[in-house]
Amino acid sequence: MAIQRRVPKVRDLAPLIQFKRPQLGRTKRRLDAALTIEDLRRIAKRRTPRAVFDYADGAAEDEISIQRARQAFREIEFHPTILRDVTNVGTGWDVLGQSVALPFGIAPTGFTRLMHTGGEIAGARAAAAAGIPFSMSTLATCSIEALVTTVPQGRKWFQLYMWRDRDRSMALVKRAAAAGFDTMLVTVDVPVAGARLRDVRNGMTIPPALTVRTLLDALPHPHWWFDLLTTEPLSFASLDRWAGTVAEYLNTMFDPSVTFDDLAWIKTQWPGKLVVKGIQTLDDARAVVERGVDGIVLSNHGGRQLDRAPVPFQLLPSVARELGKDTEILLDTGIMSGADIVAAIALGARCSLVGRAYLYGLMAGGEAGVRRAIEILGSGVTRTMRLLGVTCLHELSPQHVTQLRGLRPSDPPA
């Protein structure tokens, strides 16, 4: 049968013709077009000098640990339930004694104003607006007091590296306590710096040196260099300028003699919640919980220390089964989506920490970019919960997730 055709009428075409209102702000237009954290990563790579992007994006040696961590999240199978009313979904609960609006926080990252001049202040503002914790690193690029004065609202956690100069370490701890930080993350997986080969190859120094190579790299990134050279000079909690690489500096600072016995001493110095970050075995998790800490972070430092270290997400089920009733378990490394966060909560984590995902947003668009990263992750959490048929975080359980190995269950639900 022949198709009958006709000349379309204007009144038929009018409903089909729609023009988007032009978005005049280039930053907003760029960020609105980013639908995933990987999209933000691509924008960040375009807008940031190579050495700086590689410092945030890179990992140790062959970067196998970070690749495996991300692959572990890809190799999960969700088990949704159907015909549940998921009109209203609650994404918040208590973490370390206070409420959070979403089950993740911003991880501590060092030298943050290198990524964007907004630095820690941009991250803390975005975190406070979203109702999630912000973690400040020992190697932050603004002072503890400046952060609190500029961003008085929101939860703030302080991350501690034990230096060889312990009095100096404890001076920072006392300043963080006086400023109202409620939780300290004692990082224990850095007796020495990992072999971050991208930084070595790029000749990465803090602050970046103006060499022929960096000047050539500046040509396609004039906005970044303009910000660096026309804002307050970079300052650090622990150094003003270092002539060598980042790894060389860290090796002079970190204390390789720290042991379990030091935890009790650190605990006496801190009035708030004490969390140990960098747990990579069940035995070590058990040992620190027995010493009375308030929480642990399963973490291999984003793959930036020991390459081929255990994947925290794969370690989570066994730690949660044995210790989940005795302590709060946090998890980082490899998180790139809200679905990753939901999977971690289902398998026993109380909260996840995001580092690179936050830095990609920061490099892509400053504070607005961090807000966009949090929005992408938060909407992913809500959507995944609805698709799983759960209305609150308490309803998530190991029944909802199977970790796969080569598309085979590694630890099927009981």
Side-chain angles (χ1 to χ4, degrees), residues 43-303:
I43 296 169
K45 189 173 184 179
R46 291 198 305 267
R47 294 184 57 80
T48 314
R50 176 178 176 178
V52 174
F53 177 81
D54 280 353
Y55 174 76
D57 187 64
E61 301 188 39
D62 294 324
E63 304 193 1
I64 293 171
S65 286
I66 186 60
Q67 294 166 18
R68 286 178 177 172
R70 288 178 175 166
Q71 187 61 30
F73 281 111
R74 294 188 191 103
E75 292 185 347
I76 62 172
E77 182 177 83
F78 282 121
H79 306 290
T81 53
I82 60 170
L83 298 177
R84 270 70 168 179
D85 181 358
V86 290
T87 305
N88 298 308
V89 172
T91 59
W93 58 5
D94 284 353
V95 173
L96 295 168
Q98 297 185 39
S99 63
V100 297
L102 291 160
F104 64 92
I106 290 182
T109 59
F111 311 131
T112 312
R113 278 190 61 214
L114 277 176
M115 320 310 159
H116 185 279
T117 191
E120 289 85 4
I121 288 173
R125 279 179 173 152
I132 64 175
F134 174 81
S135 306
M136 186 178 193
S137 171
T138 292
L139 301 177
T141 46
C142 79
S143 71
I144 292 167
E145 295 77 13
L147 183 74
V148 173
T149 299
T150 309
V151 192
Q153 68 278 19
R155 289 187 72 182
K156 296 174 184 67
W157 298 352
F158 183 73
Q159 176 266 337
L160 175 69
Y161 287 125
M162 282 300 295
W163 299 345
R164 296 172 189 265
D165 184 345
R166 297 200 175 189
D167 289 340
R168 200 172 178 191
S169 295
M170 289 305 106
L172 279 178
V173 167
K174 290 175 182 177
R175 286 168 58 191
F181 285 62
D182 65 79
T183 296
M184 182 164 65
L185 309 175
V186 181
T187 300
V188 295
D189 57 0
V190 188
V192 296
R196 302 172 193 176
L197 301 184
R198 288 203 223 180
D199 294 346
V200 176
R201 290 175 180 131
N202 290 329
M204 178 64 172
T205 60
I206 303 293
L210 289 173
T211 63
V212 172
R213 180 174 181 174
T214 57
L215 287 172
L216 289 174
D217 192 33
L219 294 177
H221 307 103
H223 189 271
W224 185 91
W225 279 102
F226 178 79
D227 277 349
L228 177 72
L229 297 174
T230 60
T231 56
E232 190 70 22
L234 291 176
S235 60
F236 304 90
S238 52
L239 83 158
D240 295 318
R241 181 171 291 273
W242 175 256
T245 65
V246 176
E248 289 169 345
Y249 171 69
L250 298 182
N251 282 334
T252 68
M253 184 184 77
F254 294 150
D255 185 352
S257 70
V258 177
T259 68
F260 284 104
D261 293 336
D262 292 304
L263 285 179
W265 176 73
I266 294 171
K267 192 174 175 62
T268 65
Q269 312 289 311
W270 179 252
K273 299 289 187 179
L274 183 68
V275 176
V276 177
K277 181 177 183 292
I279 301 298
Q280 297 174 67
T281 70
L282 175 58
D283 285 344
D284 282 347
R286 188 185 298 116
V288 298
V289 170
E290 289 172 352
R291 285 165 171 79
V293 302
D294 299 293
I296 58 175
V297 185
L298 302 182
S299 169
N300 64 23
H301 214 100

Side-chain angles (χ1 to χ4, degrees), residues 331-353:
L331 178 136
D332 70 17
T333 306
I335 293 169
M336 292 286 283
S337 72
D340 297 344
I341 294 168
V342 170
I345 301 303
L347 292 182
R350 192 72 183 177
C351 180
S352 294
L353 297 176

